[in-house]
Amino acid sequence: MRHDMLPDLPHGVIPPHLGRAFLKDVLVLAATLVLAILVMIVVLVLPNRPSYAETAPPPAGLYFRSGAPDSALEAPSLGTEVAMTVNGMVTRVTVRQVFHNPTDRWLEGIYVFPLPERSAVDRLAMVVGERRVEGRIMEKAEARRVYREAAEKGQRASLVSGERPNVFVTSLANIGPGEDITVEIGYQDAVSYDAGVFALRFPMVVAPRYTPQPDAALAETPEPLQPGPDPAVIRQVEPEPRDVFGPVDIDESAANPLSLTVELDAGLPLAALRSPYHPVTVETGRNGRHSITLRDGEVPAERDFVLEWVPQESRQPRAAVFAEQVGRDAHLLVMMLPPSPGAVPAAPPPRELIFVIDTSGSMHGESIDQAKAAVIEALKRLRPEDRFNIIQFNNQTFTLFEAPVAASVGNVATAWHYVSALEADGGTEMRPALELALAGSAPPGHLRQVVFLTDAAVGNELELFGQLAARLGAARLFTVGIGAAPNSYFMRKAAELGRGSFTYIGDLKEVKPRIDALLEKLEQPALTGIRMGWPLAAGKRIEAYPSPLPDLYAGEPVIFAARLEGVDLATLNGQLLITGDGGEGRWQQRLSLERMIAAPGVAAIWARAKLEQIEDGLYSGATGRDPTAIRAAALALALEHRLVTRYTSLVAVDQEAARPQDESLVSHEVPRDLPQGWDAEKVFGLQEPSAGPASLPLRSRALPAPLLQDAALAGGQPVNLPQTATPAERMAILGGAYLVLAALLILLVLHRARQAKLCG
């Protein structure tokens, strides 16, 4: 129809045939776009899901590829038994890892597991049936070579290596079809004591660790800060993070069940004995010994076990000395509670408190609730003369105020609301947050204190320690470990370097008492300049660690290990003198050395303390030695005392060949459980649980490759820890919807233009 033949219609009225044409155009375009979106979802989303056979899904458990299409073999299972014996302040522990092969193939099992960060691991045995093969200590590369050669020959072999002071790896080669093999690992450790409470902690799981890019990847210049209550981004990086410790099982089933018993001889009557995170059964013997077992028998290896005991008020210890003679040398472990520094001054000096809170994905759920509650409790105790600021970090770092502000009612209220609204997501870029917290200095007359709340799920500890040692200045750093399985190695060492103290919070109900105790320490002067005087003849060499002794806060004891060369415990007498500077001036205390408690394992604890002092030179620079010299000194000490370290491993080899040479060896990295309370979606992004054969990073090979290179499992596929958990499916659908809406709007505009042209 020509334009001059259109009937006269009221303005804005669409001719019927044009309306029908418009509707037809809209429907055709909408149908085309919907079809395109469906195709896009099928192409982009569905291939990312694990593929399963169309038959019934496999039963719950762990699987590995068999090499044949659409088939899988059940993976070797792992059960762990822990037996702990506590004598006063010394604990001796045996960890039994039982590997079971349910298949008809010959397997190699590799398992990453935690131990306490100051444990002295010095024993390894492999038990095959009735045979027991003791391990030998070797330099790490040599131990790995011996293990690989034995595996190639078909011999059963076990290797225990240390990748961090609190992270170890067991490798077990040639587990026969249907066979059980037990690996026994032994270590010594010291019990902790603080504010009248003894405690031991046994970690059960290595949490996935976020490892950022090296320093070169960081932005050279931070973005400028903006004042005001809204957070300001100070630095953003584009990391390629990874978990350096191998696969994680994100299924809800427990992959690694663990049983635990404790034989406790506290040496004095107890007022309380408790396990805050696991139900236990306690049996008390006539001699005052206590036998503690897990009430449920076995538990998932997903959160730390903690046992605490409190002596009766009248028997609170003031000092104790535990001793062991090894050869010509006497070894001592000394605990002395200094006199109280006195009442808190009527007007304590004003402080500048910097709260640093981790809001990364691993803190999602109860952990972020604990951290927020802890900061809010601390805000309540601020005084008007104090200053403060709040920093939060994930893959970016934010600050509440441009600079620390006075603790006025308005500023504290702003901080309260800000903290209450925090959420956890993204990666753990800790370095920019530390840089900001340690930057600048407090005004004259103010004491600067940094309170760091995190689960410390990071893999670049040495880099962070170096940064802390270089930038701390006059500030003090107090660490608060949050969650079911915090990185205690980082927490404890960071607090030591920061001349502060560390606190663990594992449950919401613990927040108030533990934060109150921490803040009481912050409000009292520390005991500094602690020194020792020994009643020994001139010329006797004494090595005591840590050296120098750290500053102490209210309720903390002086604890150190010492070796007295050429001294016989039977002839040791006199008094040990300890002096220091407290809030009311100089103090001193004497401790008799004539009533010592025999405690096997003290020598290993001393060697572990010396080893830590040597390795501190890797980042502190205090020793003035290069890494080669540090390695040589640490290696010699570790070999002398049979300790598993970053430089040494224990290896056990059965001399009898077991695997036929025509059979191949299938290697399997046993996934760890995800720590209790962790949200897999927040940490890893949207993924399917590891229920099918295609989801595990496993491999089959004739010979075992090097197990660990630079703290990463060689040949394995690391678990990616993205800086944000992007919901790709939802974003794809949402993007498609926006395309439809945009197309309809464009079509409507074009139709209106044509209508206006036709209708004049």
Side-chain angles (χ1 to χ4, degrees):
M1 180 178 293
R2 299 195 314 269
H3 176 67
D4 58 358
M5 298 177 63
L6 289 174
D8 293 333
L9 294 173
H11 182 71
V13 176
I14 302 174
H17 66 286
L18 291 180
R20 289 192 296 271
F22 172 68
L23 181 60
K24 180 180 179 180
D25 291 343
V26 170
L27 291 176
V28 170
L29 182 58
T32 302
L33 290 174
V34 169
L35 180 60
I37 292 172
L38 291 176
V39 171
M40 177 178 63
I41 293 173
V42 171
V43 172
L44 296 180
V45 177
L46 293 184
N48 292 329
R49 295 179 178 273
S51 58
Y52 302 95
E54 294 183 0
T55 57
L62 299 175
Y63 296 84
F64 64 92
R65 300 185 183 94
S66 66
D70 299 326
S71 67
L73 297 175
E74 188 175 356
S77 61
L78 173 69
T80 303
E81 304 169 1
V82 180
M84 314 182 77
T85 301
V86 181
N87 179 18
M89 290 195 65
V90 179
T91 176
R92 295 172 60 86
V93 184
T94 298
V95 179
R96 296 182 178 90
Q97 298 171 338
V98 182
F99 290 81
H100 171 68
N101 179 3
T103 76
D104 59 358
R105 305 285 294 275
W106 288 84
L107 302 181
E108 176 193 28
I110 303 171
Y111 182 56
V112 178
F113 63 99
L115 290 177
E117 66 275 9
R118 288 184 170 171
S119 58
V121 180
D122 60 355
R123 287 171 290 149
L124 166 66
M126 181 175 60
V127 182
V128 185
E130 299 297 323
R131 295 197 309 282
R132 182 182 181 90
V133 183
E134 297 293 336
R136 297 173 292 161
I137 192 70
M138 295 182 180
E139 192 274 331
K140 180 176 282 189
E142 176 65 11
R144 191 158 51 220
R145 183 191 63 79
V146 170
Y147 173 83
R148 290 202 304 269
E149 288 183 356
E152 178 182 2
K153 296 176 182 178
Q155 298 168 272
R156 296 181 179 92
S158 179
L159 178 71
V160 174
S161 301
E163 300 311 316
R164 298 289 193 279
N166 61 339
V167 179
F168 295 81
V169 180
T170 293
S171 304
L172 183 59
N174 292 309
I175 313 171
E179 190 174 46
D180 286 351
I181 298 182
T182 299
V183 175
E184 292 186 1
I185 301 165
Y187 71 86
Q188 280 74 235
D189 198 8
V191 172
S192 66
Y193 180 82
D194 187 15
V197 179
F198 289 93
L200 65 83
R201 175 179 292 263
F202 182 81
M204 293 190 183
V205 61
V206 177
R209 302 285 179 85
Y210 182 100
T211 303
Q213 286 182 325
D215 294 354
L218 295 175
E220 293 184 0
T221 305
E223 298 179 13
L225 297 175
Q226 300 298 326
D230 294 330
V233 180
I234 69 157
R235 178 169 293 184
Q236 181 176 0
V237 299
E238 297 296 337
E240 293 180 358
R242 55 188 173 87
D243 175 26
V244 298
F245 298 129
V248 177
D249 179 34
I250 62 175
D251 199 349
E252 294 184 357
S253 63
N256 308 309
L258 182 146
S259 63
L260 182 145
T261 61
V262 182
E263 296 296 327
L264 172 62
D265 183 3
L268 65 176
L270 301 184
L273 176 63
R274 56 181 177 262
S275 167
Y277 311 128
H278 294 86
V280 296
T281 299
V282 179
E283 296 180 2
T284 303
R286 294 181 179 178
N287 56 359
R289 295 175 65 94
H290 302 272
S291 180
I292 300 98
T293 58
L294 295 172
R295 185 179 301 171
D296 298 329
E298 288 185 341
V299 297
E302 61 181 11
R303 78 165 304 152
D304 293 358
F305 172 82
V306 175
L307 186 69
E308 300 175 338
W309 58 97
V310 181
Q312 293 179 1
E313 189 65 30
S314 60
R315 302 294 299 273
Q316 284 285 354
R318 302 299 304 180
V321 180
F322 302 88
E324 181 183 22
Q325 185 81 37
V326 177
R328 298 179 56 255
D329 302 331
H331 296 78
L332 306 180
L333 178 64
V334 179
M335 188 278 287
M336 177 184 289
L337 191 63
S340 171
V344 180
R351 296 166 299 157
E352 184 173 272
L353 274 172
I354 310 296
F355 300 99
V356 184
I357 181 169
D358 182 351
T359 58
S360 63
S362 64
M363 293 283 290
H364 180 74
E366 186 176 351
S367 293
I368 191 64
D369 292 338
Q370 294 169 11
K372 289 160 61 174
V375 174
I376 288 175
E377 283 295 325
L379 290 173
K380 296 177 183 178
R381 296 177 67 109
L382 290 174
R383 305 184 302 270
E385 60 270 25
D386 292 335
R387 297 169 59 82
F388 79 102
N389 202 355
I390 294 176
I391 298 169
Q392 61 127 332
F393 70 94
N394 40 59
N395 55 287
Q396 301 182 61
T397 297
F398 304 85
T399 178
L400 175 57
F401 302 106
E402 182 179 8
V405 297
S408 64
V409 173
N411 288 335
V412 171
T414 297
W416 188 308
H417 291 297
Y418 174 65
V419 171
S420 300
L422 291 177
E423 297 182 356
D425 201 357
T428 314
E429 291 289 343
M430 189 179 288
R431 176 163 184 154
L434 271 177
E435 287 181 350
L436 182 61
L438 301 178
S441 58
H446 285 67
L447 177 62
R448 196 162 211 251
Q449 297 170 330
V450 178
V451 180
F452 204 107
L453 302 99
T454 178
D455 59 11
V458 293
N460 59 329
E461 293 99 330
L462 286 182
E463 175 190 1
L464 296 171
F465 293 156
Q467 176 194 21
L468 181 58
R471 295 175 176 264
L472 182 68
R476 296 290 190 271
L477 175 67
F478 298 81
T479 57
V480 180
I482 299 291
N487 181 355
S488 55
Y489 164 52
F490 176 83
M491 305 300 296
R492 184 192 296 268
K493 179 54 66 175
E496 289 178 359
L497 290 171
R499 291 168 292 176
S501 65
F502 67 96
T503 302
Y504 286 110
I505 296 178
D507 193 279
L508 272 174
K509 65 177 179 290
E510 296 178 343
V511 169
K512 181 172 175 52
R514 294 193 185 275
I515 287 298
D516 283 347
L518 172 62
L519 294 176
E520 287 177 6
K521 292 180 180 180
L522 270 64
E523 293 167 359
Q524 298 187 44
L527 301 175
T528 61
I530 302 172
R531 291 175 292 277
M532 297 169 290
W534 294 88
L536 298 177
K540 294 293 184 180
R541 185 183 178 196
I542 302 168
E543 287 187 87
Y545 302 100
S547 178
L549 289 169
D551 296 347
L552 299 177
Y553 294 84
E556 294 180 346
V558 178
I559 298 179
F560 61 89
R563 181 175 72 173
L564 285 58
E565 291 189 358
V567 174
D568 191 335
L569 286 174
T571 63
L572 184 60
N573 53 36
Q575 293 182 324
L576 172 65
L577 175 65
I578 300 183
T579 63
D581 300 318
E584 297 180 339
R586 191 163 184 78
W587 61 269
Q588 67 178 25
Q589 190 168 346
R590 295 181 181 274
L591 174 61
S592 173
L593 296 177
E594 298 177 357
R595 299 179 61 183
M596 295 177 288
I597 304 169
V602 169
I605 293 175
W606 172 85
R608 186 67 188 82
K610 180 177 180 179
L611 179 71
E612 183 176 359
Q613 188 95 3
I614 293 172
E615 292 184 331
D616 284 353
L618 290 172
Y619 49 82
S620 67
T623 62
R625 293 181 291 177
D626 59 39
T628 302
I630 291 172
R631 183 186 186 281
L635 178 60
L637 179 69
L639 291 174
E640 177 187 356
H641 291 269
R642 288 177 45 87
L643 297 182
V644 176
T645 68
R646 72 175 73 232
Y647 311 110
T648 54
S649 299
L650 281 167
V651 61
V653 176
D654 189 352
Q655 295 305 312
E656 296 182 11
R659 175 174 56 84
Q661 288 299 300
D662 58 349
E663 293 278 355
S664 63
L665 183 64
V666 179
S667 181
H668 171 67
E669 298 168 19
V670 180
R672 302 109 67 196
D673 289 322
L674 200 63
Q676 186 182 86
W678 278 42
D679 187 318
E681 179 178 334
K682 289 292 182 181
V683 178
F684 303 114
L686 294 175
Q687 297 184 12
E688 290 294 321
S690 56
S695 60
L696 293 177
L698 306 179
R699 57 200 184 274
S700 176
R701 61 176 185 263
L703 298 176
L707 302 179
L708 291 157
Q709 298 290 348
D710 299 326
L713 287 170
Q717 299 178 17
V719 176
N720 290 326
L721 296 181
Q723 63 176 353
T724 54
T726 304
E729 300 171 41
R730 184 167 68 247
M731 297 302 292
I733 295 173
L734 184 61
Y738 283 143
L739 287 175
V740 172
L741 179 60
L744 290 175
L745 289 175
I746 293 172
L747 190 60
L748 181 61
V749 171
L750 293 176
H751 180 74
R752 285 288 188 180
R754 184 167 63 174
Q755 175 190 348
K757 182 177 180 181
L758 293 177
C759 298

